[in-house]
Structures are given as C-alpha cells and as structure tokens.
C-alpha cells in the first residue's frame, strides 16, 4: 500500500500498535539509533507502551520479539545513523521459528537504505508456528521516479503467518484514510515512471560509486587528522561482513564526523557543511545540500543525533565515474582547506589522546 512518504507509513504503524497496546497492555520497542524523525515522534507516544532498546547489539531485536510482553519491534536493516550498525535479520528469522504463542507479533522494518533487499526472504513462513507480521516500510522518494525527488510516496509491504498480517493491513488502511496520509493520484503516477530494469541499473551505478567514495574518502581520512568516515562498505566496520552477506551491500550513505575536542565540535561540523556546499555551488558542481534527495544526484546533509551530535551524511548518486571523481576531489579539498583555515580553533581529539 502507498502513503504520502515513508515516515507516514511508520506513523500509521505506530498509531495502530498504540491502539493494540491500549487494549492488550503489551510493549513496542524502537531502536535507540532510530532515525531522528522517528525519535521525535516517539516523544509524543504513550511512554507506557513505547520503549527504546539498545540496537547497537545487532541481535537485540530478535531477543525482544521472543518476550511474551513484547508486541512489536522496530528495526532499521542498515541504520541511517552515524554508527551504521546492521540488524541481524537471520537472528530475527531464527527467533520467529521459536514463537509458539497465538499472541500477534509485529516486526516493523524501516527500509530507507535497504529497499532492494527482500527482507521477507529471510523468513520461512511455513516453518513459523506463531502469529507474526513483517511490515516493510520504504521511502519512495529515495529511489523511484528516476531518483529525481519529484513526488512524495512511501510504500508499505506486509508478509507473515497467522492472523497478524491481515489484521494489521486492514488497520493500516483505516489509519491512513483517517490521517490524510494517502498520496495524491498525481504523486502515485509520478512515481510510476521507473521500471525494474531502470531501478536495477541505477542502483548498480550507485553502489559502484559508494564503494569508490568509501575508498577515496577513507584513505583521505586515514591520512588526515580530524575527519572520521563511517561506512559499512569499509572492511574495518564491525558489521561489514553481515551487511555484505545478508543485504548484499553496505548501505546507501556515508557518515563523516570531525573528531575534535571542545564545545565547538558541532558548530564546526555545521560550518564545514556550509563550506562544502558553498564551494560546490561556486564550482558549479551538482552536489545537493538538502534533507530530501533521490539516489540519482550527489547529496550532502547535516544530521543531528541526540547521542552523537552533528554529522555529515554523504551520498554519491548514480553519476558517471569522472563526475564522481570531481565530487570526491571537491570533498577532500574542501575539508583540507577548512581545517587549515580554522586551525587555530581546532583541537583534534585523536592527537590529544595520542599524547
């Protein structure tokens, strides 16, 4: 089913689960590293029924879903978060086979960066004795309509066994109708210009580009005091093997942070973001500085997480390799010059700890 955006689909799921909890008193758990917009919405929910859990442990969600008092677990396959942990879907699939209760269970998967990974293929529904619904939510603007970000649509797909899938589907349709979260006909039509072949080709170019960007910026950050790169494409990331084996890729974003001492770390990161964007505009480079984006155009975005602070989120787009080289050179040159121009205000944490 379609919604106005991915967040609208997740909002509707939270509305439905809140109603279930009020009737049954069971709990819903959302990962502590969840996307910032989900975290904002969580604050307005009944805290008796919606709890945070430590999802830095990739198998934590699987442990929770087995608890009798737990109704649902929200996960991000590959977290849209600077630490970029990868949820262990194999552990969740194994846990599902151990469910024997008739009480319905719900696994809500935020697939913002793993939309082309078939999460349902992890679950052998014929071998699950319990009553479980897997709800996959993707943000349509991230990949359809050729990645041009012209229409707002979110897509929700449901699978599972027992009565849970049919019940939650019916209730999601009702929640969508009463909340104004159904997309317009024009938006849905605008998202239909893509084909499976065009999507596959574009994402193949995208994944090629993000591998190149990880390599180039990773080598630069290793040789430069201050910037630190986080990417599941990097073999140094603790979840690299899981991401590659389970999801087939290392996510669709890179995160870059300045590893600095002092109270101005976040302010300097924000200044760096503006510096990179302004310099790109001056050079007429197609580097979008915005929160919404398609997978076609290179993108930079400032992200604030409560427990991490300010980070830069980078996306290489599906552009040609020569243009990607220009973007990578621009990023490295801008960071290098920014650090040099602000040297008197910067104390590098890694250098301080080394002393």
């Amino acid at each position: 089913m379609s919604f106005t955006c991915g967040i609208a689909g997740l909002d509707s799921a939270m509305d439905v689960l809140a109603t279930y909890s009020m009737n049954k008193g069971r709990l819903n758990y959302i990962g502590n590293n969840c996307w910032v917009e989900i975290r904002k919405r969580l604050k307005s929910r009944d805290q008796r029924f919606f709890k945070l859990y430590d999802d830095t442990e990739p198998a934590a969600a699987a442990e929770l879903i087995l608890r009798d008092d737990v109704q649902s677990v929200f996960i991000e396959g590959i977290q849209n978060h600077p630490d970029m942990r990868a949820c262990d879907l194999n552990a969740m699939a194994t846990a599902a086979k151990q469910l024997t209760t008739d009480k319905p269970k719900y696994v809500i998967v935020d697939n913002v960066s793993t939309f082309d990974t078939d999460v349902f293929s992890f679950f052998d529904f014929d071998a699950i004795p319990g009553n479980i619904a897997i709800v996959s939510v993707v943000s349509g603007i991230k990949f359809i309509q050729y990645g041009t970000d012209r229409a707002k649509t979110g897509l929700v797909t449901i699978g599972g066994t027992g009565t849970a899938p049919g019940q939650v589907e019916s209730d999601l349709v009702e929640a969508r109708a009463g909340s104004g979260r159904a997309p317009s006909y024009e938006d849905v039509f605008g998202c239909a210009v893509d084909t499976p072949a065009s999507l596959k080709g574009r994402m193949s170019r995208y994944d090629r580009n993000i591998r190149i960007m990880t390599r180039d910026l990773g080598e630069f950050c290793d040789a430069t005091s201050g910037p630190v790169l986080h990417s599941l494409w990097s073999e140094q990331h603790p979840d690299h093997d899981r991401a590659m084996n389970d999801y087939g890729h290392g996510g669709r974003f890179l995160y870059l942070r300045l590893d600095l001492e002092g109270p101005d770390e976040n302010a300097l990161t924000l200044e760096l973001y503006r510096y990179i964007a302004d310099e790109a505009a001056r050079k007429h480079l197609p580097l979008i500085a915005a929160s919404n984006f398609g997978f076609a155009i290179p993108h930079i975005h400032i992200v604030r997480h409560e427990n991490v602070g300010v980070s830069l989120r980078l996306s290489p787009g599906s552009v040609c390799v020569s243009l990607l080289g220009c973007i990578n050179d621009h990023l490295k040159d801008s960071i290098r010059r920014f650090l040099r121009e602000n040297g008197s205000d910067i104390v590098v944490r890694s250098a301080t700890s080394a002393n």
Side-chain angles (χ1 to χ4, degrees), residues 1-78:
M1 68 187 74
S2 57
F3 288 79
T4 48
C5 60
I7 291 291
L10 289 166
D11 269 345
S12 297
M14 293 172 79
D15 288 345
V16 169
L17 292 168
T19 301
Y20 294 168
S21 292
M22 291 177 67
N23 292 331
K24 303 295 183 180
R26 298 165 70 211
L27 302 176
N28 308 283
Y29 279 89
I30 298 179
N32 196 51
N33 283 351
C34 65
W35 178 234
V36 288
E37 295 299 329
I38 302 299
R39 192 68 174 268
K40 291 177 184 176
R41 286 159 171 77
L42 183 60
K43 292 179 178 178
S44 65
R45 301 287 171 176
D46 191 327
Q47 301 303 302
R48 292 175 301 167
F49 302 129
F50 286 88
K51 308 290 184 180
L52 289 171
Y53 73 95
D54 181 9
D55 53 357
T56 57
E57 168 50 53
E63 296 171 4
L64 282 171
I65 203 66
L66 290 172
R67 280 176 36 185
D68 191 60
D69 63 333
V70 172
Q71 171 177 260
S72 74
V73 177
F74 284 65
I75 63 175
E76 287 185 61
I78 291 177

Side-chain angles (χ1 to χ4, degrees), residues 205-213 316-319 321 324:
R205 297 191 301 275
Y206 189 98
D207 287 348
R208 172 203 65 195
N209 288 353
I210 201 165
R211 281 194 298 268
I212 295 172
M213 181 176 274
S318 56
V319 297
V321 173
L324 176 65

Side-chain angles (χ1 to χ4, degrees), residues 16 20 23 51 64 70 101 138 148 176 183 204 234 241 269:
V16 169
Y20 294 168
N23 292 331
K51 308 290 184 180
L64 282 171
V70 172
T101 176
V138 301
T148 53
R176 179 184 63 178
S204 175
S234 170
D241 289 342
T269 303

Side-chain angles (χ1 to χ4, degrees), residues 49-190:
F49 302 129
F50 286 88
K51 308 290 184 180
L52 289 171
Y53 73 95
D54 181 9
D55 53 357
T56 57
E57 168 50 53
E63 296 171 4
L64 282 171
I65 203 66
L66 290 172
R67 280 176 36 185
D68 191 60
D69 63 333
V70 172
Q71 171 177 260
S72 74
V73 177
F74 284 65
I75 63 175
E76 287 185 61
I78 291 177
Q79 293 173 358
N80 189 5
H81 179 276
D83 289 337
M84 296 192 72
R85 302 309 301 267
C87 179
D88 191 343
L89 285 178
N90 284 311
M92 179 63 77
T94 299
K97 293 179 181 179
Q98 301 172 29
L99 292 172
T100 56
T101 176
D102 289 333
K103 295 179 180 178
K105 300 276 189 173
Y106 305 92
V107 178
I108 315 298
V109 187
D110 183 351
N111 271 323
V112 66
S113 65
T114 54
F115 64 87
D116 52 348
T117 298
D118 182 3
V119 297
F120 301 105
S121 67
F122 288 82
F123 297 87
D124 183 359
F125 293 118
D126 291 336
I128 296 176
N131 191 6
I132 189 170
I134 312 299
V135 181
S136 168
V137 183
V138 301
S139 180
I141 61 171
K142 300 297 189 295
F143 65 95
I144 46 185
Q145 17 94 34
Y146 292 119
T148 53
D149 199 3
R150 294 180 300 170
K152 290 190 71 63
T153 301
L155 306 176
V156 173
T157 309
I158 301 170
T161 183
T163 61
Q167 184 63 56
V168 75
E169 178 183 7
S170 174
D171 291 337
L172 279 172
V173 170
E174 185 175 343
R176 179 184 63 178
S179 63
R181 295 172 186 150
S184 67
Y185 174 80
E186 291 80 2
D187 277 334
V188 173
F189 184 78

Side-chain angles (χ1 to χ4, degrees), residues 264-281:
D264 295 327
E265 179 175 279
N266 290 338
L268 283 168
T269 303
L270 183 58
E271 287 182 30
L272 173 60
Y273 165 70
R274 292 168 177 157
Y275 187 88
I276 291 172
D278 289 346
E279 287 297 296

